[in-house]
Amino acid sequence: MSIVLEAKHINKYFRKPTLFHVLKDISFQVKSGEFASIMGKSGCGKSTLLYILSTMDTDYDGELYLNNELISGKPNEYLSYLRNKHIGFVFQFHYLLSEFTVLENVMLPAKKLGEKMLEEIEKDAMEKLKILHIDHLAHKKASRVSGGEKQRVAIARALINNPSIIMGDEPTGNLDSHNSDNVFNIFKSLSVEQGLSLLIVTHDEDFANKTDRIIRMGDGKILQ
């Protein structure tokens, strides 16, 4: 099984107002098709770690590999390209553009990547909406669909460039249990059927317990 993401000896310091060692010697791997969750108390460094793993924060010590390529120290334009092509994001808030249709929202990252013609991007976006059973909402304004549907649109958008890994920061944090289960089942089927890797920060024990592996964090370290 290939390794999609690997962190080696990641250390992170906040320097203001005083020096604070927020992440301490973090090392772990996510394999292809693996569905892993990160758990830990608020303030233990989960979201800080996710920002580093997603290449958004480059101010850290240690090495980060994506698809076996060392990406630490690479220029920002290249990281921005890598992030758009290989990493899909799902946050607690869906961050959809309310004036755009569902379909237009899903197409955005692919238009930014600019590797395909518009017709092809639209066809891909419809495919993703079909996988998530929301293709009937394609031409609705994003502001007109329900909370659970919005999160599914956000997942479709995260999938549009066929990423190597999906990263989520509390993606069920705003949802009721029915919609949380929905999101879990979508993630699970993506991992099983499409061999997609997932790394999800969550507070939800039920959600985490159903994933392949829980990475528990405490006080800036991995506990197990």
Side-chain angles (χ1 to χ4, degrees):
M1 234 189 197
S2 58
I3 294 162
V4 172
L5 183 77
E6 182 167 19
K8 284 188 181 173
H9 308 296
I10 300 278
N11 283 278
K12 167 82 180 171
Y13 297 87
F14 288 151
R15 301 182 199 284
K16 292 187 169 105
T18 51
L19 191 67
F20 176 58
H21 195 175
V22 59
L23 294 176
K24 302 164 187 168
D25 199 36
I26 301 269
S27 296
F28 72 98
Q29 304 171 335
V30 180
K31 296 185 178 67
S32 64
E34 184 176 24
F35 184 178
S37 50
I38 300 179
M39 288 204 85
K41 291 193 179 74
S42 285
C44 73
K46 304 186 299 292
S47 292
T48 305
L49 177 60
L50 204 63
Y51 267 97
I52 289 172
L53 298 175
S54 67
T55 77
M56 293 209 235
D57 179 359
T58 55
D59 178 22
Y60 60 89
D61 302 321
E63 294 179 344
L64 183 61
Y65 294 83
L66 185 62
N67 295 322
N68 297 314
E69 177 192 354
L70 176 65
I71 56 174
S72 305
K74 289 273 181 6
N76 279 336
E77 303 78 75
Y78 182 65
L79 289 179
S80 169
Y81 163 78
L82 269 190
R83 191 160 54 234
N84 196 19
K85 188 171 173 67
H86 290 294
I87 304 173
F89 294 98
V90 186
F91 300 99
Q92 177 168 358
F93 303 102
H94 45 77
Y95 296 115
L96 299 177
L97 299 176
S98 56
E99 279 315 292
F100 281 43
T101 64
V102 162
L103 185 64
E104 288 166 336
N105 269 285
V106 174
M107 289 169 67
L108 281 173
K111 285 164 83 171
K112 186 182 166 200
L113 193 61
E115 291 184 349
K116 289 181 175 174
M117 303 293 281
L118 208 55
E119 302 79 70
E120 207 181 338
I121 293 173
E122 191 165 324
K123 189 167 148 283
D124 286 354
M126 281 305 289
E127 279 300 304
K128 303 303 183 211
L129 291 173
K130 276 197 184 90
I131 290 171
L132 301 181
H133 309 298
I134 47 173
D135 45 314
H136 61 287
L137 301 173
H139 301 292
K140 269 193 154 174
K141 283 267 201 288
S143 53
R144 312 290 302 161
V145 303
S146 74
E149 289 165 345
K150 282 189 175 85
Q151 199 55 306
R152 275 197 264 176
V153 176
I155 296 170
R157 181 185 57 190
L159 291 171
I160 189 66
N161 290 332
N162 297 319
S164 310
I165 188 167
I166 293 273
M167 294 188 187
D169 195 2
E170 301 282 355
T172 59
N174 258 7
L175 301 174
D176 58 26
S177 59
H178 168 72
N179 281 308
S180 292
D181 288 346
N182 250 342
V183 167
F184 176 83
N185 293 332
I186 288 165
F187 284 163
K188 185 72 188 168
S189 70
L190 289 169
S191 138
V192 172
E193 289 161 30
Q194 313 217 358
L196 194 63
S197 305
L198 297 116
L199 184 64
I200 308 293
V201 167
T202 183
H203 271 110
D204 183 344
E205 284 279 357
D206 293 339
F207 183 101
N209 286 333
K210 293 186 289 189
T211 62
D212 300 338
R213 172 168 62 123
I214 301 178
I215 298 160
R216 289 197 188 269
M217 282 183 71
D219 189 29
K221 295 194 283 278
I222 289 180
L223 302 178
Q224 61 191 52

